[in-house]
Amino acid sequence: WAAKADFDYEHDSGMYAGVWAANVDSGFFSGANVEIDTYLGWSGGDTLSWDFGILRYNYPGTSFSDNNTNEWYGSVGYDFGMVAVTAGLAYSTDFFGGDDGEYWTLDFDVPLPGDFSLALHYGSTDVDGSSTVPAFDYEDYSIGISKEYAGLGFDLTFTGTDDVDPSGFFGNFDDSRLVFTISKSL
């Protein structure tokens, strides 16, 4: 199981800032028990939307300081009514102690009858290796269904990847999962 929390501030101009935290496997992150991410960005639009910003991944207590990583990201979306499509790119020059890393995404959100929503996701990662992180490429995908009910958000999503790491460096990171989430926005 995982515990997580996030706090966001959004301004009418579209500027936003926030912090997100979750527990992590200390064996995978060289002694860190928590991931704390801070971010700053600008988003806007309605039918045509955009989101650009910077994200800092922090792993306090880690014995491997290069785990702390900066990432620039951006996306553009268009809502066609029957489906909303968003394409994005995240880029880091120091991907978790490695070299350059890119993550390309394509997302589809489809409104369904009964106020349900269908979400389809495809992502492609390309990381240049270094002495601490091996080079790797992989693709990920997900399909999920969600609904708001009684002030709560309910989501059931299946996620998977192609074979990320045949060497075993990343453990079970690439295992397929079915994830059920209940959320509440305050």
Side-chain angles (χ1 to χ4, degrees):
W1 76 281
K4 63 181 179 176
D6 63 291
F7 300 95
D8 301 298
Y9 173 77
E10 297 180 27
H11 188 268
D12 291 341
S13 67
M15 296 296 294
Y16 63 88
V19 61
W20 176 94
N23 60 315
V24 297
D25 182 346
S26 61
F28 184 76
F29 289 98
S30 302
N33 292 312
V34 66
E35 175 182 335
I36 301 172
D37 301 341
T38 52
Y39 47 91
L40 175 67
W42 179 56
S43 65
D46 190 17
T47 303
L48 175 64
S49 60
W50 63 89
D51 185 9
F52 301 98
I54 185 168
L55 171 63
R56 171 76 175 176
Y57 298 91
N58 299 285
Y59 299 92
T62 184
S63 58
F64 180 51
S65 63
D66 287 341
N67 281 336
N68 302 316
T69 300
N70 294 319
E71 181 178 87
W72 295 91
Y73 60 88
S75 66
V76 177
Y78 192 84
D79 188 346
F80 292 93
M82 295 300 292
V83 62
V85 180
T86 304
L89 169 64
Y91 176 76
S92 175
T93 59
D94 62 347
F95 185 87
F96 297 94
D99 204 355
D100 294 348
E102 298 174 2
Y103 181 55
W104 296 87
T105 59
L106 185 59
D107 294 283
F108 300 90
D109 291 309
V110 182
L112 299 174
D115 293 326
F116 284 89
S117 180
L118 174 68
L120 304 170
H121 164 81
Y122 169 80
S124 177
T125 298
D126 180 17
V127 174
D128 296 338
S130 72
S131 61
T132 56
V133 175
F136 63 93
D137 301 328
Y138 73 93
E139 298 173 349
D140 66 277
Y141 51 88
S142 67
I143 181 169
I145 190 161
S146 61
K147 180 178 177 64
E148 297 277 331
Y149 180 75
L152 298 172
F154 296 88
D155 183 89
L156 182 64
T157 299
F158 175 80
T159 65
T161 65
D162 62 359
D163 190 19
V164 174
D165 178 36
S167 71
F169 180 82
F170 290 101
N172 67 355
F173 173 75
D174 57 353
D175 290 350
S176 297
R177 291 178 169 75
L178 185 62
V179 179
F180 178 65
T181 305
I182 301 174
S183 60
K184 172 71 175 164
S185 294
L186 302 175

